[in-house]
Amino acid sequence: LHPEVLSTLGAWERRDVTAVVAFLESAGQSRARILLVGASQGAGVALLALADLENSGQPLAGALLESPFRDMRDAARNHLRNQLGAWEWFFQHAEVIALERAGAFGRFDPDAVSPLEASRRLRTPVALLAGDADRITPLRGVQEIARYHPDLVVVNGAGHCEAGARLPEGWETWAQARLARWGLLD
């Protein structure tokens, strides 16, 4: 709907999120009632968008995020490692070249795509969920983000985007506890 704004190229998905929030605000919805929910790439994009949104206004009500990626280089490395296994070392230079070409094509800086950096200054409450067996977005990256947003639940044995489904009390119970804490349940 907005041809002047790139969408779904490289790091531009965060602009899609900010556009939705701007639309909701224009329809009279308060940021204090807007919640972001995302998993994997969507969780990382949510953190990036929150940083953009807070630079231009108040925080949102909260964000429920499962398995956000640490930064673009780490995400590429993790995906490459999982696809290539023992051959990863052979393609390390290809990873660097591919990220640089992607950045040039999408007109963005791959090093600036860092949910970890974005999370440092966020005022929006963030709840994190991760599996300790996730090889796509390993727990260590989520734990680094959790230094700034310590509401982290780790599910033993859960792989990529499996933590929510494997919570003993269920995802809905986990989410409702956060929504209640953030004053979103009437």
Side-chain angles (χ1 to χ4, degrees):
L1 297 178
H2 299 284
E4 70 279 3
V5 177
L6 290 176
S7 178
T8 64
L9 285 175
W12 294 96
E13 294 92 342
R14 67 202 282 177
R15 296 229 177 133
D16 292 341
V17 175
T18 59
V20 168
V21 170
F23 172 79
L24 291 171
E25 287 181 299
S26 74
Q29 188 62 251
S30 166
R31 283 188 179 199
R33 302 290 295 170
I34 298 174
L35 177 74
L36 296 184
V37 179
S40 191
Q41 180 177 344
V45 167
L47 289 167
L48 294 165
L50 282 170
D52 294 344
L53 288 162
E54 288 187 13
N55 281 335
S56 66
Q58 295 298 314
L60 270 59
L64 302 171
L65 307 176
E66 182 173 351
S67 304
F69 63 98
R70 180 186 181 279
D71 59 44
M72 184 165 275
R73 291 197 185 277
D74 191 56
R77 196 170 304 111
N78 291 330
H79 281 76
L80 188 64
R81 182 186 66 244
N82 287 312
Q83 296 299 318
L84 300 174
W87 289 96
E88 175 192 4
W89 64 270
F90 187 72
F91 291 96
Q92 286 175 342
H93 294 293
E95 169 194 328
V96 172
I97 293 167
L99 281 173
E100 296 310 316
R101 290 191 44 90
F105 176 74
R107 295 181 293 192
F108 70 96
D109 176 5
D111 291 322
V113 181
S114 176
L116 173 62
E117 288 302 314
S119 70
R120 289 179 190 263
R121 294 172 298 283
L122 293 180
R123 296 171 288 145
T124 298
V126 174
L128 298 163
L129 186 58
D132 69 351
D134 188 339
R135 295 180 52 197
I136 303 295
T137 54
L139 181 57
R140 65 177 157 60
V142 180
Q143 288 170 324
E144 288 182 54
I145 293 168
R147 283 189 293 194
Y148 307 104
H149 303 280
D151 185 355
L152 168 63
V153 172
V154 177
V155 178
N156 292 331
H160 188 61
C161 294
E162 295 176 347
R166 296 181 69 178
L167 279 169
E169 70 278 7
W171 186 89
E172 187 174 329
T173 301
W174 173 81
Q176 284 183 345
R178 274 93 192 142
L179 298 180
R181 187 178 325 137
W182 299 338
L184 295 172
L185 294 180
D186 297 327

